[in-house]
Amino acid sequence: MFTLEQQLAEQVKQAVKSLYGLETETDNVQIQKTKQQFEGNLTVVVFPFVKAARKAPQMVAEEIGNALVSADNDKRIVDRFNAVQGFLNLVISPSYWMQCLQDITSSDNYGMQPANGHLMMVEYSSPNTNKPLHLGHVRNNLLGYSIAKIQEANGWHVVKTNIVNDRGIHICKSMLAWQLFGNGETPESTGKKGDHLIGDYYVRFDIEYKKQIKELMAGGMDEDTAKKGAPLIKQAQAMLLKWEQGDPEVRALWEKMNSWVYAGFDETYRMMGVSFDKIYYESQTYLEGKKEVERGLNEGLFYRREDGSVWADLTGNGLDEKLLLRQDGTSVYMTQDIGTAKLRFQDYPIDKMVYVVGNEQEYHFKVLSILLDRLGFRFGKDLVHFSYGMVELPNGKMKSREGTVVDADDLMAQMIADAREVSKDKVNKIAGISDEEAQEIARKVGLGALKYFILKVDPRKNMLFNPEESIDFNGNTGPFIQYTYARIQSVLRKAEDSITTGNLQISNDKEVELIQHLAEYPHVVRQAGQEFSPAVIANYCYQLACDFNSFYHDYSILGETDDSIKQLRLLLSHTVGKVLASGMSLLGIEMPERM
RNA sequence: GGUCUGGUAGCUCAGCUGGAUAGAGCAACAGCCUUCUAAGCUGUGGGUCUCGGGUUCGAAUCCCGACCGGAUCACCA
């Protein structure tokens, strides 16, 4: 099936050929949506043909317009036109639009591409196990989940994965602080989520550590020596060493504390509505990475310095030299990522690997790509680093240690509470609704507001979040779109017995605009996939909801007396609801049936 | 300093593969509920698209330069 644009482009191509003898490609025919202030649905820009025609733009537009209008009956889709300078505004015939609406309505999985037989793995979230998730992770999780959904819609078989950074000095710090100051506290004994409890001890470590540094410096030591020599950091490093040696006591403590954290993360993920098909743990992949580095060393791809550390020379790639193994033989971030990549490609027939990681790590992924390629992994060269921007607060970046982080659990709870509060102001809305249902609606709306707020902005750009100002529920927001959907469902519920399969009749421009908008959905999904941009979907849904609300305000659906007009409006409303729900689901946003 | 990236209304953001008079939301102001859900609709005000050159029929959009901001260039992750 050809799109309207494709059909028109073909016709313009023919017209230009017969009128001016100019051979052109349909790709060169510029067609855009007609601006609001002119009559028409689509506009052909005729400037490119002016030269060959040797006529004024206005004249060229009119000649092409006439050719389109006088096309054979079976091909004729242009009802009439108007030409404004070099712009040929086309009014598409109502019969085309009605057929279009019916095609959209009757298609299953409208906007979704058929399976392409390829597997894409999307890595996102990737938390450290020493503190709870914050707003930065929220953006990562929402983007990762949405990208996975969008690529699925574009025909990929997607495997969502998570690499948990469960080992290293950071978790040892929490473990040590808990051992020293914890008095055996547990999530059960404190009523705290496990990740928050561990986070508290991570902070506690830092406080005690700073105290020691201060004391040492008061005793005349310089700062650097104090930082390196403080007993606490020595103890933490000793603990890490024991961990690497497999010391049973340390391992047992580590297992216990990580299990608390995972229970906490699970709860956060569940509330956020994200999930994974396969989770990797760095404690299980870093050794594989070391093996690969050793192999590379033996094959002469890397080199060892005198101090025993192992490096990759990337100067030939325009980069620097990169450390792969420390002089004590322990692995670094890069080593682990190599190991993780290897295991993943052993586990799955991956055609495309996507890493959803902040733009601060662009250098890292550039290097990873080169190293994997050098090690002979065919997937290395074209791995995708989906690099997104930071979430900034009014006074800059979030800093864990300065207590300026916005906690993910708190934020979601706050959003839901706000949504509950807002709905209380809406009296006489939904009579006789149960408490549970009201809470469920508040959950969808609160989370919808948060998710939309984050996903509507271009992922590549940094975005600002002001904790002082609550996230809106009016205007260009998730709840606005959810509300539009709920309204539609309300109408459809009431219309249930008056839906027939009678004739359809278009009766105004707003209906046409809506159909035209609906027809763009598959293209929007494709574009979002190509650009890795949930924002494209979000903006589309907003526009569609705007158009529908305007239509809804101006015309009665159930009150329409002409049955064929009423049937068209019902069908149109139904389909708008369907597409809105589909689009929002690609953002991981649920739609309430009423609100 | 090298590399990457951004600068559009008071604020948050669209638009950026060149097209008509640059769009939304929030905030401000003024209207619209005995009628399908007012979390809605309509209107008013608000802009040297950072600045300067260039490319062309046409530039917020492409190119060059400047200024300002952010990221990165760790034996951190």
Side-chain angles (χ1 to χ4, degrees), chain A residues 101 105 488-501 504-505 511 548 551 556-560 562-578:
Chain A
L101 177 61
T105 307
I488 290 171
Q489 301 318 306
S490 176
V491 171
L492 295 177
R493 276 194 297 273
K494 289 183 178 162
E496 209 173 340
D497 47 358
S498 63
I499 295 179
T500 66
T501 47
L504 301 177
Q505 178 65 48
E511 291 161 356
F548 184 82
F551 158 76
S556 178
I557 300 164
L558 299 175
E560 175 54 49
D562 182 316
D563 192 59
S564 51
I565 294 178
K566 179 176 173 181
Q567 291 307 322
L568 180 120
R569 289 181 184 168
L570 281 169
L571 193 64
L572 186 54
S573 303
H574 166 81
T575 309
V576 169
K578 210 172 80 170

Side-chain angles (χ1 to χ4, degrees), chain A residues 402-419:
Chain A
E402 288 168 26
T404 56
V405 290
V406 177
D407 179 75
D409 295 317
D410 292 350
L411 181 58
M412 289 192 287
Q414 188 59 50
M415 290 303 300
I416 293 167
D418 286 355

Side-chain angles (χ1 to χ4, degrees), chain A residues 150-178:
Chain A
I150 288 169
Q151 298 304 351
E152 251 164 25
N154 278 286
W156 289 84
H157 172 52
V158 176
V159 174
K160 294 174 301 212
T161 187
N162 187 356
I163 173 76
V164 179
N165 186 4
D166 60 345
R167 60 172 287 280
I169 192 74
H170 56 87
I171 181 68
C172 287
K173 288 178 181 175
S174 293
M175 284 157 65
L176 183 61
W178 182 85

